[in-house]
Amino acid sequence: MNKMIDSCSEFFNLEQEEKRQYKGKHTLDPISCGTSVDASVTEVLFWRDYLRVLVHPEFHSPTKPSGFSEVLAEFTKAVRRVARDLLGGISESLGLDSSYIERAMNLDLSLQLLGANLYPPCPQPELAMGLPPHTDHGLLTVLVHNGVNGLQLQHKGMWVNTNIIPGVLFVHVGDHLEVLTNGKYKSVVHRAVVNNKSTRISIAMPHGPSLDTVVSPAAELLENGCPRANYTGMKYKDYLEIQHKSKLRGKTRLDLLKI
Ligand SMILES: O=C(O)CCC(=O)C(=O)O
Ligand SMILES: [Fe+2]
């Protein structure tokens, strides 16, 4: 985990020239990096550099810094194993077979992303935001950071600071687990704030279904006592396209699927 954080730090320290080749424009570009969120759709800038890499089902990696791709490959595999185990446990918690989500979401071809964020110290942190309030699109996101806090979760209308112990994997629920479970699991609205002392690095790894899976509430969950589906189905890939074009704000994209 520390090796992955160090490698991301080295990537962010590369010369602009070397990073320029990764100026991705489309949501499924294998590698993209830049500043803020996506300057083409967001007029407000955020205090953040990012690197976004598609790591599964096809593995991609920047070629520099040296050793990056080996560290990323190992991290990708280890984190995917954790996410799959958790999804097995979540299936059971819903009274379903432990392999239910794995099969229904076609996890052998699951979309897994590396989302690395760098938040440098900000002279006026009260006037800036690292990442605006949003939910993640996948089933689960596994997050680690370099020990500098900054992630806040929305709970009952209030922002709650997280205090993530270094070395711990922090996991939150994404939009598609909310849809699949018909709202039994709720995706978490979160944001990243910045500070004026230390650089923060976070690595978020969203795990989704396969791109062509149409996700709708599991029929098995609608049979017993829950009379109707609260969400319409949508292909995961189409949802990602919509998300890419919209401004990051709270749960607005999930509202599109609510019946
Ligand atoms: O930096 C953080 O803690 C949050 C990152 C995040 O929410 C994301 O990359 O989706
Ligand atoms: Fe997020």
Side-chain angles (χ1 to χ4, degrees):
M1 187 185 301
N2 288 339
K3 272 198 277 177
M4 190 70 254
I5 292 171
D6 292 346
S7 300
C8 287
S9 172
E10 284 170 31
F11 177 87
F12 287 122
N13 280 334
L14 292 175
E15 295 295 326
Q16 284 304 332
E17 275 309 304
E18 305 204 78
K19 289 186 277 187
R20 215 186 300 280
Q21 58 179 308
Y22 301 125
K23 275 222 165 309
K25 287 198 176 51
H26 303 289
T27 178
L28 291 173
D29 283 342
I31 305 176
S32 52
C33 72
T35 293
S36 192
V37 175
D38 180 345
S40 65
V41 291
T42 312
E43 64 278 2
V44 184
L45 292 178
F46 295 96
W47 201 265
R48 159 201 191 232
D49 279 359
Y50 68 90
L51 165 66
R52 187 172 180 276
V53 185
L54 270 57
V55 289
H56 189 262
E58 243 177 56
F59 179 75
H60 299 272
S61 172
T63 48
K64 282 188 186 165
S66 78
F68 188 94
S69 113
E70 288 77 7
V71 174
L72 179 57
E74 195 185 333
F75 188 73
T76 294
K77 247 197 204 163
V79 175
R80 189 165 64 254
R81 204 172 312 124
V82 172
R84 282 183 76 140
D85 284 353
L86 287 172
L87 289 168
I90 290 171
S91 292
E92 286 182 1
S93 77
L94 296 164
L96 303 169
D97 186 80
S98 66
S99 62
Y100 181 88
I101 294 180
E102 188 180 311
R103 283 183 284 112
M105 298 292 101
N106 192 11
L107 293 190
D108 285 343
L109 295 177
S110 64
L111 184 78
Q112 183 183 0
L113 301 168
L114 168 87
N117 305 294
L118 173 91
Y119 309 99
C122 175
Q124 289 183 290
E126 64 290 353
L127 299 180
M129 183 58 67
L131 206 51
H134 67 282
T135 54
D136 292 350
H137 46 71
L139 297 163
L140 289 179
T141 296
V142 180
L143 186 133
V144 299
H145 74 162
N146 67 341
V148 178
N149 282 311
L151 175 66
Q152 294 185 330
L153 310 180
Q154 203 174 57
H155 181 65
K156 297 187 177 159
M158 311 266 282
W159 286 108
V160 181
N161 289 323
T162 55
N163 184 8
I164 305 175
I165 302 161
V168 157
L169 300 176
F170 186 87
V171 180
H172 49 219
V173 169
D175 292 343
H176 280 83
L177 195 58
E178 177 165 337
V179 173
L180 180 68
T181 64
N182 203 29
K184 283 207 162 70
Y185 282 81
K186 295 254 188 297
S187 66
V188 184
V189 180
H190 55 283
R191 67 180 187 182
V193 294
V194 290
N195 73 80
N196 57 9
K197 293 192 185 71
S198 325
T199 295
R200 173 159 191 262
I201 292 182
S202 67
I203 298 177
M205 272 209 156
H207 295 258
S210 76
L211 278 173
D212 59 3
T213 301
V214 176
V215 186
S216 48
E220 290 77 353
L221 296 178
L222 302 180
E223 281 162 7
N224 303 327
C226 184
R228 67 177 188 97
N230 297 325
Y231 307 84
T232 51
M234 187 186 275
K235 197 189 269 192
Y236 184 44
K237 185 173 182 197
D238 295 342
Y239 192 83
L240 289 177
E241 302 282 353
I242 291 173
Q243 184 192 43
H244 186 69
K245 290 195 193 104
S246 69
K247 299 180 172 70
L248 272 180
R249 277 284 173 264
K251 281 187 113 153
T252 46
R253 289 172 308 261
L254 192 56
D255 288 343
L256 293 175
L257 302 184
K258 286 214 171 113
I259 298 174

